[in-house]
DNA sequence: AGCCAGGCTGACG
DNA sequence: CGTCAGCATGGC
């Protein structure tokens, strides 16, 4: 029986959507409806009942999880922005309550390198196998799990091992990037840089292009204005704003949503996937 | 059975 | 600078 030692109050928050919308890949729904995940070596069971979150953690860790789930922020303003425009208002029915998580930059770096030209379900499987092979095993309240692998471990791995996990042609990118991190690269330092500088730094990592860089910035470095453009965002952009291709999407989003551009991106990404949006011809 | 997926790399104009 | 073939893998 899971012990929930900590309670957090929320508003405008949907746990399931937040954990299952494709921004993080390690959360799993349990048979009892709770969710289990591991963040920066901390295992957690969590469940939502109305406005309350029940966490299986020491109350001393409450600030850590409040930060992870961005509970300090009020998304009401951002949702009002979407509701105001009849084009984006429909997205709220499936995306309302999603929050941008504050993930571990190292895990985000590796995870989104693996995400390139891939789909969410398969990404989750690859990362799960990478963790079970290279991550430190542990146990929490009777639940066996693996921590996310340390940079030194992935740096010492071989592309063949990673291919066995399903990483495909991205395997050498993981090894090469991990080596740089293991050598002491200060990834969290990018948080405090200017947007363009942080992005430029991320682009120097093998396997990191413009889209992956902005995912890392949005999901783990507090860059609220990051706006990753993938195939789904291209589709939803063309669908909502005829004539707006992928290149114009980010600029237009900055004008429309300002500091909420990243959050809006995730709402629209989830909206597009939920309704199974297909390619639109001209 | 193909087509597609939170795209990137390297080559070539 | 922009364009583009090739790429591993497995779910649908």
């Amino acid at each position: 029986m899971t012990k929930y030692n900590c309670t957090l109050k929320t508003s405008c928050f949907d746990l399931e959507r937040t954990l299952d919308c494709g921004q993080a890949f390690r959360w799993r729904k349990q048979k009892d409806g709770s969710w289990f995940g591991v963040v920066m070596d901390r295992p957690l069971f969590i469940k939502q009942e109305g406005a309350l979150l029940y966490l299986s953690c020491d109350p001393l860790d409450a600030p850590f999880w409040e930060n992870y789930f961005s509970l300090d922020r009020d998304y009401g303003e951002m949702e009002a922005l979407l509701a105001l425009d009849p084009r984006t208002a429909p997205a709220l029915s499936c995306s309302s309550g999603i929050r941008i998580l504050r993930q571990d930059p190292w895990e985000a770096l590796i995870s989104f390198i693996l995400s390139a030209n891939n789909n969410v379900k398969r990404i989750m499987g690859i990362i799960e196998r990478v963790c079970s092979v290279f991550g430190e095993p542990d146990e929490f309240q009777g639940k066996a799990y693996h921590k996310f692998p340390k940079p030194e471990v992935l740096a010492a791995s071989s592309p063949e091992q990673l291919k066995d996990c399903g990483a495909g042609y991205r395997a050498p990118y993981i090894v090469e990037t991990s080596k740089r991190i293991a050598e002491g690269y200060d990834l969290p330092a990018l948080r405090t840089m200017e947007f363009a500088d942080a992005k430029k730094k991320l682009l120097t990592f093998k396997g990191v292009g413009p889209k992956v860089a902005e995912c890392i910035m949005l999901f783990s470095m507090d860059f609220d204005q990051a706006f990753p453009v993938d195939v789904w965002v291209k589709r939803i952009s063309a669908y909502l704003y005829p004539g707006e291709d992928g290149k114009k999407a980010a600029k237009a989003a900055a004008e429309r949503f300002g500091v909420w551009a990243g959050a809006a991106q995730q709402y629209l990404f989830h909206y597009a996937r939920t309704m199974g949006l297909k390619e639109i011809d001209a």
Side-chain angles (χ1 to χ4, degrees), chain A residues 17-47:
Chain A
R17 288 175 180 177
T18 296
L19 296 180
D20 205 30
C21 71
Q23 62 174 316
F25 305 103
R26 285 254 282 158
W27 289 95
R28 297 292 186 275
K29 196 173 191 176
Q30 306 301 111
K31 281 164 291 188
D32 66 356
S34 68
W35 290 80
F36 179 79
V38 186
V39 178
M40 298 183 78
D41 294 346
R42 303 169 197 235
L44 183 77
F45 289 99
I46 182 170
K47 63 178 179 179

Side-chain angles (χ1 to χ4, degrees), chain A residues 104-110 151 177 180-181 184-193 198 201-202 204-205 208 216 220-221 223:
Chain A
D104 172 25
W106 155 245
E107 179 170 338
L109 173 63
I110 297 303
T177 288
R180 287 185 60 191
I181 302 297
Y185 192 98
D186 189 359
L187 201 55
L190 302 188
R191 276 182 193 282
T192 58
M193 293 183 185
K201 296 284 188 187
L202 285 171
T204 67
F205 286 95
V208 177
I216 298 164
S220 77
M221 293 179 176
F223 284 93

Side-chain angles (χ1 to χ4, degrees), chain A residues 134-195:
Chain A
F134 299 102
E136 181 188 335
D138 206 337
E139 178 267 334
F140 178 69
Q141 293 194 11
K143 175 86 173 176
Y145 70 94
H146 291 262
K147 297 173 178 175
F148 195 83
K150 302 297 169 234
E152 313 81 63
V153 178
L154 289 186
S157 72
S158 70
E160 289 70 27
Q161 289 176 291
L162 289 164
K163 278 199 171 190
D164 289 340
C165 296
Y169 64 91
R170 311 162 195 84
Y173 304 158
I174 297 297
V175 177
E176 194 169 328
T177 288
S178 297
K179 283 180 179 171
R180 287 185 60 191
I181 302 297
E183 286 167 4
Y185 192 98
D186 189 359
L187 201 55
L190 302 188
R191 276 182 193 282
T192 58
M193 293 183 185
E194 294 296 319
F195 186 98

Side-chain angles (χ1 to χ4, degrees), chain A residues 11-13 23 69-81 92 95 97-102 218 224 260 262-264 267:
Chain A
S11 66
C12 191
F13 179 81
Q23 62 174 316
F69 287 105
S70 292
L71 297 184
D72 56 305
R73 299 192 63 180
D74 178 10
Y75 273 46
E77 181 186 355
M78 176 264 174
E79 295 207 358
L81 208 55
L92 289 171
S95 297
I98 292 176
R99 276 165 192 265
I100 302 301
L101 298 168
R102 294 195 179 99
L218 177 61
D224 298 329
W260 293 109
Y267 274 52

Side-chain angles (χ1 to χ4, degrees), chain A residues 6 10 39 51 55 70 82 105 172 187 205 219 227-228 251 264 276:
Chain A
C6 181
T10 72
V39 178
L55 293 78
S70 292
L82 289 184
L187 201 55
F205 286 95
F219 298 131
F227 194 87
K251 205 162 296 177

Side-chain angles (χ1 to χ4, degrees), chain A residues 5 7 42 76 82 107 147 163 198 208 225 229 241 245 274:
Chain A
N5 309 323
T7 306
R42 303 169 197 235
L82 289 184
E107 179 170 338
K147 297 173 178 175
K163 278 199 171 190
V208 177
Q225 67 277 43
V229 178
Y241 316 102
D245 61 0
T274 300

Side-chain angles (χ1 to χ4, degrees), chain A residues 100-146:
Chain A
I100 302 301
L101 298 168
R102 294 195 179 99
Q103 302 185 54
D104 172 25
W106 155 245
E107 179 170 338
L109 173 63
I110 297 303
S111 297
F112 283 98
I113 288 176
L114 291 170
S115 80
N117 195 27
N118 215 334
N119 61 72
V120 172
K121 187 148 295 187
R122 217 172 80 80
I123 297 163
M124 292 175 69
I126 296 169
I127 293 174
E128 187 170 277
R129 289 187 286 278
V130 168
C131 288
S132 67
V133 172
F134 299 102
E136 181 188 335
D138 206 337
E139 178 267 334
F140 178 69
Q141 293 194 11
K143 175 86 173 176
Y145 70 94
H146 291 262

